[in-house]
Amino acid sequence: MTGVGAPATSHRVLAAADVTTAAQLACLLEASAPKPGNVSPGRHFTNFRYEDLLASAAAIGGPLAGAAARPVGATVRLAVEATARWTRSNTNLGIVLLLAPLARAALLESPPTAASDPQSAIRNPQSAGPSTGIWRMGLRGALRRVLETTTVDDAHDVYAAIRLAAPGGLGRADAQDVADEPTMTLLEVMRLAADRDGIAREYATAFEATFDIGAPALGQARRDGLSWDDAVVETFLTLLAAAPDTHLARRSGATVAAEVSRHARTALLEGGVRSAAGQRAIDEMDLRLRDARNAANPGTTADLTAAAIFVVLLGGGWSAFGLD
């Protein structure tokens, strides 16, 4: 494989196969961690199970492998269509919307070099040195360029993907509603929705929560010696504490969403996954968030967590902090 094994720099070559593996692994790590209010091993929803998340992670591999060769919207649509062949519920629309431009940016940010490194930068233990932050800045710069060059056709494809996935609680928008055909670029329509949707807000801010909150929190947790499961839960709580979950707000209202964010902050203040008191607070929070309708599921925060994991993995985080 080419290099997603050279030390992390702003000029690594990332192989499509390695970027795809990182994306699928990010989905698996996010799904497997026992995040409060979400599906994880042994904790299912009435309309889908943990196994559906595994199938969804596998399904998006092919579309993401071609992210550099096609526009963002087409990759999103193909990934959602691939997922629909394996699951009957909307399991990963938000994740796909976040990972597609990140994957394209990661591949376009990696110019070919005369000598390809035979290892993968994702797997090289040296790849999380001081230059990781520099490379992450390069990735975000490439992401900005990807988002700024999206088109109306990208918006058409994303709207088609959203209608296929049929997420709950969308309602109607005054302008550029997903039930209609868009007349603006993908970035422009995302900016219109940024005040009410956390995924759209990421597009509008060049993935501010992913790069400024989620990825740093995950990297610090791993450097502190937390397992992947614990580090992912801590990252999820950190993102949720920073901003109310917009999926939850659509389903249960802004007051409930704000209260859930307050519970996340309380759990972190109690120590979170790092203490017995914090873990009790997380368990109590999980019990509060579970109901037959899954109306209190902080689903957007889970999507943001997956994006943060992807960014950390692209920067060499898989083996840099150990594989457990």
Side-chain angles (χ1 to χ4, degrees):
M1 295 184 196
T2 56
V4 169
T9 73
S10 60
H11 295 293
R12 285 180 301 154
V13 177
L14 303 184
D18 285 327
V19 172
T20 301
T21 297
Q24 292 174 303
L25 181 55
C27 294
L28 296 172
L29 289 169
E30 183 275 319
S32 300
K35 305 176 306 302
N38 283 268
V39 169
S40 60
R43 301 194 299 184
H44 312 291
F45 285 170
T46 54
N47 60 335
F48 73 87
R49 296 172 56 85
Y50 170 66
E51 297 92 314
D52 292 310
L53 298 180
L54 303 185
S56 301
I60 66 174
L64 287 182
R70 71 173 77 89
V72 169
T75 297
V76 170
R77 177 176 51 79
L78 289 171
V80 170
E81 289 173 350
T83 300
R85 293 194 289 272
W86 287 90
T87 67
R88 292 174 293 177
S89 300
N90 169 32
T91 54
N92 66 358
L93 173 62
I95 288 176
V96 167
L97 285 167
L98 294 171
L99 266 53
L102 281 170
R104 181 168 172 79
L107 291 165
L108 295 180
E109 173 64 7
S110 306
T113 60
S116 296
D117 194 306
Q119 298 183 16
S120 162
I122 286 177
R123 296 181 285 107
N124 187 342
Q126 297 180 351
S127 61
S131 58
T132 297
I134 299 173
W135 180 83
R136 194 177 292 168
M137 289 172 60
L139 174 62
R140 194 173 184 187
L143 175 67
R144 289 181 190 275
R145 292 189 289 276
V146 166
L147 297 176
E148 288 168 357
T149 55
T150 58
T151 65
V152 176
D153 286 340
D154 286 311
H156 275 284
D157 280 329
V158 166
Y159 277 33
I162 294 171
R163 290 193 291 265
L164 176 60
L170 277 186
R172 290 281 299 183
D174 293 334
Q176 304 293 313
D177 189 83
V178 295
D180 305 322
E181 290 304 322
T183 59
M184 302 172 71
T185 71
L186 179 57
L187 180 57
E188 288 170 341
V189 298
M190 289 295 192
R191 284 172 174 160
L192 287 178
D195 63 335
R196 64 181 184 274
D197 183 87
I199 305 300
R201 190 181 304 138
E202 287 298 273
Y203 275 68
T205 62
F207 285 44
E208 184 175 85
T210 298
F211 281 94
D212 293 349
I213 301 173
L218 179 61
Q220 187 60 57
R222 291 294 287 155
R223 283 190 292 273
D224 289 347
L226 296 189
S227 68
W228 276 104
D229 269 357
D230 284 347
V232 169
V233 172
E234 182 165 284
T235 301
F236 171 83
L237 291 172
T238 301
L239 285 162
L240 185 55
D245 188 277
T246 54
H247 173 74
L248 196 162
R250 284 196 302 272
R251 298 290 301 277
S252 299
T255 300
V256 173
E259 180 71 4
V260 171
S261 284
R262 187 183 67 78
H263 289 314
R265 290 191 290 273
T266 298
L268 289 171
L269 288 172
E270 291 286 343
V273 296
R274 302 174 188 245
S275 75
Q279 189 58 60
R280 283 194 300 273
I282 293 170
D283 293 341
E284 292 168 3
M285 182 178 173
D286 182 61
L287 287 174
R288 291 192 200 98
L289 295 179
R290 295 192 179 275
D291 61 60
R293 294 176 51 245
N294 311 320
N297 161 233
T300 297
T301 306
D303 299 336
L304 296 172
T305 302
I309 299 169
F310 187 36
V311 168
V312 168
L313 292 177
L314 289 173
W318 177 239
S319 58
F321 310 123
L323 304 181
D324 59 321

